[in-house]
Amino acid sequence: MGPRKKPTSQDPLTLVTNGIALMSEDIDVNDESLTAIEQKEYGVFKELLCMIPSMEAHLMESSEEMVTTIAELIQKGINGAWADDTKGVKSAIIDWITPKGQSLNPHIPQNMKSGRGFNHEHTRALLCPAGLDWANMEMRTKLVNGQIQVAGDQWPIFLYANYTYDAEDPWNSLLRSGLLISAFKHIFTSPSSVDQEPKATRSGNAQIHGMRSVTKASIAYVTTQ
Protein backbone atom coordinates (compact mmCIF):
# COMPACT_ATOMS: atom_id res chain seq x y z
CA MET A 1 0.00 0.00 0.00
CA GLY A 2 3.05 2.28 0.06
CA PRO A 3 4.38 4.54 2.84
CA ARG A 4 2.08 5.90 5.50
CA LYS A 5 0.59 9.33 4.89
CA LYS A 6 0.34 12.22 7.29
CA PRO A 7 -2.65 11.51 9.57
CA THR A 8 -5.79 13.56 9.10
CA SER A 9 -9.09 12.66 10.71
CA GLN A 10 -10.97 14.21 7.78
CA ASP A 11 -9.59 11.76 5.22
CA PRO A 12 -10.98 8.20 5.37
CA LEU A 13 -8.58 7.03 2.64
CA THR A 14 -5.55 8.08 4.68
CA LEU A 15 -7.08 6.53 7.80
CA VAL A 16 -7.69 3.21 6.06
CA THR A 17 -4.40 3.17 4.15
CA ASN A 18 -2.32 3.92 7.24
CA GLY A 19 -4.32 1.40 9.24
CA ILE A 20 -3.65 -1.36 6.74
CA ALA A 21 0.06 -0.49 6.67
CA LEU A 22 0.31 -0.64 10.47
CA MET A 23 -1.59 -3.92 10.62
CA SER A 24 0.74 -5.38 8.00
CA GLU A 25 3.67 -4.43 10.23
CA ASP A 26 1.88 -5.99 13.23
CA ILE A 27 2.17 -2.74 15.18
CA ASP A 28 0.14 -2.27 18.35
CA VAL A 29 -2.05 0.80 18.87
CA ASN A 30 0.07 1.88 21.84
CA ASP A 31 3.40 1.29 20.12
CA GLU A 32 5.91 3.93 21.24
CA SER A 33 7.12 4.40 17.67
CA LEU A 34 3.80 6.07 16.85
CA THR A 35 3.06 9.68 17.63
CA ALA A 36 0.05 10.53 19.78
CA ILE A 37 -1.91 11.51 16.67
CA GLU A 38 -0.95 8.29 14.87
CA GLN A 39 -2.01 6.24 17.88
CA LYS A 40 -5.36 8.01 17.95
CA GLU A 41 -5.92 7.53 14.22
CA TYR A 42 -4.94 3.87 14.43
CA GLY A 43 -7.32 3.42 17.34
CA VAL A 44 -10.14 4.88 15.25
CA PHE A 45 -9.27 2.48 12.44
CA LYS A 46 -9.37 -0.47 14.85
CA GLU A 47 -12.77 0.63 16.16
CA LEU A 48 -14.01 0.87 12.59
CA LEU A 49 -12.99 -2.74 11.99
CA CYS A 50 -14.89 -3.82 15.10
CA MET A 51 -18.02 -2.03 13.93
CA ILE A 52 -18.07 -3.63 10.48
CA PRO A 53 -17.92 -7.45 10.44
CA SER A 54 -15.45 -9.01 7.98
CA MET A 55 -14.08 -5.59 6.97
CA GLU A 56 -10.58 -6.44 8.18
CA ALA A 57 -10.31 -9.53 5.99
CA HIS A 58 -11.85 -7.68 3.07
CA LEU A 59 -9.39 -4.79 3.32
CA MET A 60 -6.33 -6.98 3.65
CA GLU A 61 -7.29 -8.85 0.48
CA SER A 62 -8.31 -5.81 -1.57
CA SER A 63 -6.39 -3.97 -4.27
CA GLU A 64 -5.51 -0.31 -3.87
CA GLU A 65 -8.40 0.57 -6.16
CA MET A 66 -10.84 -1.36 -4.00
CA VAL A 67 -9.47 0.24 -0.82
CA THR A 68 -10.03 3.64 -2.42
CA THR A 69 -13.60 2.66 -3.27
CA ILE A 70 -14.23 1.51 0.30
CA ALA A 71 -12.83 4.78 1.67
CA GLU A 72 -15.06 6.75 -0.70
CA LEU A 73 -18.10 4.83 0.54
CA ILE A 74 -17.13 5.59 4.14
CA GLN A 75 -16.84 9.28 3.26
CA LYS A 76 -20.20 9.15 1.52
CA GLY A 77 -21.73 7.69 4.67
CA ILE A 78 -20.11 10.39 6.81
CA ASN A 79 -21.42 13.14 4.55
CA GLY A 80 -24.90 11.66 4.52
CA ALA A 81 -25.06 11.30 8.31
CA TRP A 82 -23.78 14.86 8.80
CA ALA A 83 -26.36 16.24 6.37
CA ASP A 84 -29.19 14.35 8.09
CA ASP A 85 -28.13 15.55 11.54
CA THR A 86 -27.75 19.14 10.39
CA LYS A 87 -31.15 19.08 8.72
CA GLY A 88 -32.81 17.70 11.84
CA VAL A 89 -31.19 20.13 14.25
CA LYS A 90 -31.75 23.08 11.90
CA SER A 91 -35.48 22.55 12.16
CA ALA A 92 -35.74 21.64 15.84
CA ILE A 93 -33.48 24.39 17.15
CA ILE A 94 -36.06 27.06 16.34
CA ASP A 95 -38.37 25.52 18.93
CA TRP A 96 -35.54 25.26 21.47
CA ILE A 97 -34.54 28.92 21.27
CA THR A 98 -38.09 30.28 21.25
CA PRO A 99 -39.21 31.31 24.76
CA LYS A 100 -42.20 29.30 25.96
CA GLY A 101 -45.49 30.94 25.13
CA GLN A 102 -43.82 33.43 22.82
CA SER A 103 -42.73 33.68 19.20
CA LEU A 104 -39.65 35.02 17.49
CA ASN A 105 -39.93 38.35 15.73
CA PRO A 106 -39.30 38.22 12.87
CA HIS A 107 -40.32 34.62 12.39
CA ILE A 108 -37.58 32.15 11.41
CA PRO A 109 -38.71 29.34 9.07
CA GLN A 110 -37.56 25.95 10.34
CA ASN A 111 -36.47 24.72 6.92
CA MET A 112 -34.38 27.75 5.91
CA LYS A 113 -30.94 28.98 6.94
CA SER A 114 -31.54 32.56 5.89
CA GLY A 115 -32.57 34.94 8.62
CA ARG A 116 -30.42 33.21 11.22
CA GLY A 117 -26.96 33.80 12.63
CA PHE A 118 -26.10 37.49 12.87
CA ASN A 119 -29.10 38.26 10.66
CA HIS A 120 -31.58 37.88 13.52
CA GLU A 121 -31.64 39.68 16.86
CA HIS A 122 -32.30 36.53 18.90
CA THR A 123 -29.75 34.25 17.25
CA ARG A 124 -27.04 36.91 17.06
CA ALA A 125 -27.30 37.35 20.83
CA LEU A 126 -26.64 33.62 21.25
CA LEU A 127 -23.61 33.85 18.96
CA CYS A 128 -22.09 36.76 20.85
CA PRO A 129 -18.56 35.78 21.97
CA ALA A 130 -18.33 35.10 25.68
CA GLY A 131 -16.73 38.02 27.47
CA LEU A 132 -18.29 40.66 25.23
CA ASP A 133 -21.24 42.68 26.51
CA TRP A 134 -24.16 42.19 24.14
CA ALA A 135 -26.04 44.96 25.96
CA ASN A 136 -23.42 47.44 24.74
CA MET A 137 -25.03 48.85 21.59
CA GLU A 138 -21.78 50.14 20.11
CA MET A 139 -20.11 46.76 20.53
CA ARG A 140 -23.20 45.00 19.20
CA THR A 141 -23.26 47.14 16.06
CA LYS A 142 -19.58 46.55 15.36
CA LEU A 143 -20.02 42.82 15.88
CA VAL A 144 -22.99 42.62 13.50
CA ASN A 145 -21.45 44.72 10.72
CA GLY A 146 -18.10 42.93 10.93
CA GLN A 147 -16.01 45.70 12.47
CA ILE A 148 -15.30 43.29 15.31
CA GLN A 149 -14.01 40.00 13.95
CA VAL A 150 -14.77 36.93 16.02
CA ALA A 151 -11.61 34.88 16.57
CA GLY A 152 -11.65 31.11 16.44
CA ASP A 153 -10.76 30.83 20.12
CA GLN A 154 -13.74 32.92 21.28
CA TRP A 155 -16.55 30.68 22.49
CA PRO A 156 -20.11 31.82 21.66
CA ILE A 157 -22.25 32.44 24.72
CA PHE A 158 -24.79 29.76 23.73
CA LEU A 159 -22.28 27.07 24.75
CA TYR A 160 -22.44 28.13 28.40
CA ALA A 161 -25.04 26.92 30.90
CA ASN A 162 -27.79 29.54 31.19
CA TYR A 163 -25.80 31.58 28.65
CA THR A 164 -23.69 32.89 31.53
CA TYR A 165 -19.94 33.49 31.25
CA ASP A 166 -17.65 33.71 34.28
CA ALA A 167 -14.68 35.92 33.42
CA GLU A 168 -12.85 34.68 36.53
CA ASP A 169 -13.30 31.05 35.48
CA PRO A 170 -13.84 30.81 31.68
CA TRP A 171 -14.15 27.02 31.80
CA ASN A 172 -16.99 27.12 34.30
CA SER A 173 -20.23 25.81 32.70
CA LEU A 174 -18.66 25.70 29.22
CA LEU A 175 -20.31 23.11 26.92
CA ARG A 176 -23.12 22.63 29.44
CA SER A 177 -25.86 24.76 27.93
CA GLY A 178 -29.37 23.42 27.63
CA LEU A 179 -29.27 24.17 23.92
CA LEU A 180 -26.22 21.96 23.44
CA ILE A 181 -27.75 19.18 25.54
CA SER A 182 -30.93 19.28 23.46
CA ALA A 183 -28.93 19.02 20.24
CA PHE A 184 -26.91 16.13 21.66
CA LYS A 185 -30.05 14.22 22.63
CA HIS A 186 -31.65 14.94 19.27
CA ILE A 187 -28.69 13.44 17.41
CA PHE A 188 -27.52 10.62 19.65
CA THR A 189 -30.62 9.32 21.43
CA SER A 190 -33.71 10.48 19.55
CA PRO A 191 -35.61 13.70 18.76
CA SER A 192 -38.34 12.64 21.20
CA SER A 193 -35.82 12.37 24.04
CA VAL A 194 -35.17 16.12 24.07
CA ASP A 195 -38.24 16.92 26.17
CA GLN A 196 -39.15 13.52 27.54
CA GLU A 197 -38.16 9.89 27.82
CA PRO A 198 -37.26 8.41 24.41
CA LYS A 199 -40.24 6.98 22.55
CA ALA A 200 -38.49 6.16 19.31
CA THR A 201 -39.30 2.78 17.80
CA ARG A 202 -35.81 2.33 16.39
CA SER A 203 -32.38 2.47 18.01
CA GLY A 204 -30.69 5.86 18.32
CA ASN A 205 -27.16 6.59 17.16
CA ALA A 206 -25.73 6.12 20.65
CA GLN A 207 -27.15 2.61 20.91
CA ILE A 208 -26.23 1.68 17.35
CA HIS A 209 -22.60 2.68 17.90
CA GLY A 210 -22.31 1.32 21.42
CA MET A 211 -21.88 4.71 23.08
CA ARG A 212 -22.03 4.46 26.85
CA SER A 213 -20.97 7.99 27.69
CA VAL A 214 -20.56 11.45 26.22
CA THR A 215 -17.22 11.79 24.45
CA LYS A 216 -15.07 14.76 23.46
CA ALA A 217 -15.60 13.92 19.80
CA SER A 218 -19.39 13.72 20.16
CA ILE A 219 -19.49 17.10 21.92
CA ALA A 220 -17.37 18.65 19.17
CA TYR A 221 -19.62 17.09 16.53
CA VAL A 222 -22.78 18.54 18.06
CA THR A 223 -21.20 21.94 18.72
CA THR A 224 -20.19 22.38 15.09
CA GLN A 225 -23.60 21.54 13.67
Side-chain angles (χ1 to χ4, degrees):
M1 297 299 295
R4 298 201 300 270
K5 301 178 181 179
K6 182 178 180 180
T8 166
S9 58
Q10 297 181 351
D11 181 5
L13 180 58
T14 298
L15 181 76
V16 172
T17 301
N18 288 350
I20 293 174
L22 291 171
M23 285 185 61
S24 300
E25 299 170 19
D26 197 27
I27 294 179
D28 184 74
V29 172
N30 299 315
D31 194 291
E32 294 182 354
S33 66
L34 301 177
T35 66
I37 294 179
E38 288 174 332
Q39 289 180 350
K40 183 177 180 180
E41 296 276 329
Y42 193 27
V44 171
F45 174 74
K46 286 285 193 176
E47 289 185 22
L48 181 63
L49 297 184
C50 292
M51 292 172 61
I52 306 177
S54 74
M55 184 175 183
E56 179 177 344
H58 194 62
L59 283 174
M60 299 305 288
E61 298 171 357
S62 296
S63 64
E64 289 194 25
E65 290 75 15
M66 181 56 69
V67 169
T68 299
T69 298
I70 292 173
E72 290 175 346
L73 290 173
I74 293 174
Q75 184 63 65
K76 183 178 180 180
I78 292 172
N79 294 342
W82 180 280
D84 288 343
D85 291 337
T86 299
K87 181 179 179 181
V89 171
K90 180 180 69 174
S91 175
I93 198 171
I94 301 302
D95 292 330
W96 303 336
I97 66 174
T98 302
K100 289 186 177 181
Q102 302 180 37
S103 60
L104 297 180
N105 185 24
H107 171 69
I108 301 178
Q110 290 188 324
N111 61 342
M112 295 179 62
K113 278 190 174 182
S114 60
R116 305 189 185 200
F118 281 104
N119 296 315
H120 193 283
E121 183 65 25
H122 194 81
T123 53
R124 67 174 64 138
L126 295 175
L127 291 171
C128 180
L132 297 184
D133 183 10
W134 185 250
N136 184 312
M137 293 304 298
E138 181 180 359
M139 184 281 300
R140 183 187 303 189
T141 300
K142 290 182 178 180
L143 191 61
V144 172
N145 63 25
Q147 286 181 273
I148 295 180
Q149 295 294 321
V150 180
D153 60 353
Q154 289 182 285
W155 299 98
I157 196 65
F158 80 83
L159 293 179
Y160 286 85
N162 301 315
Y163 309 143
T164 302
Y165 172 72
D166 182 356
E168 298 297 323
D169 184 8
W171 293 101
N172 182 30
S173 77
L174 177 62
L175 302 178
R176 295 179 181 274
S177 74
L179 190 59
L180 187 60
I181 293 172
S182 293
F184 187 95
K185 288 182 176 181
H186 189 281
I187 292 174
F188 288 104
T189 52
S190 71
S192 64
S193 70
V194 174
D195 298 313
Q196 56 194 347
E197 289 298 316
K199 294 183 179 180
T201 56
R202 62 179 183 178
S203 300
N205 287 324
Q207 185 174 352
I208 291 174
H209 299 297
M211 289 178 61
R212 295 291 182 269
S213 62
V214 177
T215 64
K216 295 177 182 178
S218 61
I219 293 175
Y221 180 79
V222 174
T223 302
T224 54
Q225 286 294 318

